[in-house]
């Protein structure tokens, strides 16, 4: 499933992550994890542990990369949010290299799992831990139909010790959108790019 998003002259293309991508994916993941301001992973996460966490997405899950001008600049992982009675809801996580922000890679990485979740029959997609100060991500998710359904106060500790809330964000996939929601979604996604 290849999705594209364009920003200016750059176009981001999403494809399945293959083993040969991992060293470049690690170069994206490591600085995001070490910064500690947007992702709830241990700051001292090792490369082997990161690889295991990022690539273990449960039954039917997958991992992808975003490319801009043929270079891997971001990655996503997706799968079911919970087993058993929660298996009808998907989840996903995303990381984009700082040098590639604003080039459409983040949007492409979010749009792709939404399409994947719909085609796999999931009823919704839920993000469990969006740091409330990650305003760019929150805005992107909201532009694609996600809503903050709750915030866990002071649940994410920044490296400087300040505690920030974690948003739980959710979008339903199996419920027809009302007229206002449909117009918002069409405006946010814009015309399909090939």
């Amino acid at each position: 499933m290849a999705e594209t998003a364009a920003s200016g002259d750059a176009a981001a293309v999403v494809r399945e992550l293959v083993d040969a991508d991992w060293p470049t994916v690690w170069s994206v993941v490591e600085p995001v994890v070490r910064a500690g301001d947007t992702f709830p992973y241990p700051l001292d996460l090792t490369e082997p542990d990161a690889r295991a966490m990022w690539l273990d997405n449960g039954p039917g899950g997958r991992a992808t990369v975003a490319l801009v001008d043929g270079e891997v600049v971001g990655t996503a992982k997706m799968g079911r949010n919970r087993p058993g009675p929660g298996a009808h809801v998907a989840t996903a996580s995303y990381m984009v290299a700082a040098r590639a922000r604003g080039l459409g890679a983040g949007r492409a990485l979010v749009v792709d799992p939404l399409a994947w979740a719909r085609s796999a029959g999931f009823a919704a997609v839920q993000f469990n831990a969006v740091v409330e100060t990650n305003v760019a991500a929150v805005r992107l998710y909201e532009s694609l139909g996600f809503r903050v359904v709750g915030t866990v106060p002071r649940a994410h500790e920044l490296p400087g010790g300040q505690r920030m809330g974690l948003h739980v964000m959710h979008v339903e996939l199996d419920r027809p959108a009302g007229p206002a929601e449909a117009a918002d979604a069409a405006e946010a996604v814009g015309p399909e790019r090939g």
Side-chain angles (χ1 to χ4, degrees):
M1 197 177 294
E3 295 291 328
T4 62
S7 175
D9 294 331
V13 177
V14 176
R15 66 162 169 77
E16 299 292 326
L17 187 153
V18 296
D19 283 340
D21 293 324
W22 181 253
T24 307
V25 168
W26 175 240
S27 76
V28 171
V29 169
E30 184 178 23
V32 172
V33 170
R34 301 282 182 256
D37 58 352
T38 60
F39 231 82
Y41 282 176
L43 297 180
D44 62 352
L45 186 67
T46 66
E47 184 274 332
D49 288 344
R51 182 182 177 118
M53 289 170 68
W54 201 253
L55 300 181
D56 179 13
N57 295 302
R62 64 194 273 261
T64 60
V65 292
L67 297 96
V68 173
D69 295 330
E71 178 188 1
V72 172
V73 297
T75 183
K77 63 178 271 160
M78 63 212 76
R80 62 185 184 186
N81 192 44
R82 299 280 179 256
H88 62 287
V89 177
T91 192
S93 297
Y94 316 95
M95 294 189 194
V96 176
R99 69 186 183 286
R101 295 194 183 130
L103 298 179
R107 177 171 287 276
L109 283 167
V110 179
V111 168
D112 176 76
L114 288 172
W116 166 81
R118 278 188 184 93
S119 70
F122 286 97
V125 177
Q126 177 176 313
F127 302 150
N128 300 307
V130 180
V131 180
E132 67 185 344
T133 54
N134 192 355
V135 176
V138 172
R139 284 186 186 144
L140 171 60
Y141 304 153
E142 287 176 338
S143 79
L144 293 170
F146 285 85
R147 299 291 174 249
V148 175
V149 295
T151 302
V152 182
R154 298 170 40 90
H156 183 88
E157 188 169 271
L158 299 173
Q162 184 181 15
R163 293 183 178 159
M164 307 308 300
L166 286 178
H167 292 320
V168 176
M169 300 188 74
H170 183 270
V171 63
E172 291 198 40
L173 303 175
D174 67 349
R175 179 175 63 96
E181 290 171 309
D184 287 347
E187 182 179 311
V189 174
E192 186 174 342
R193 300 180 192 267

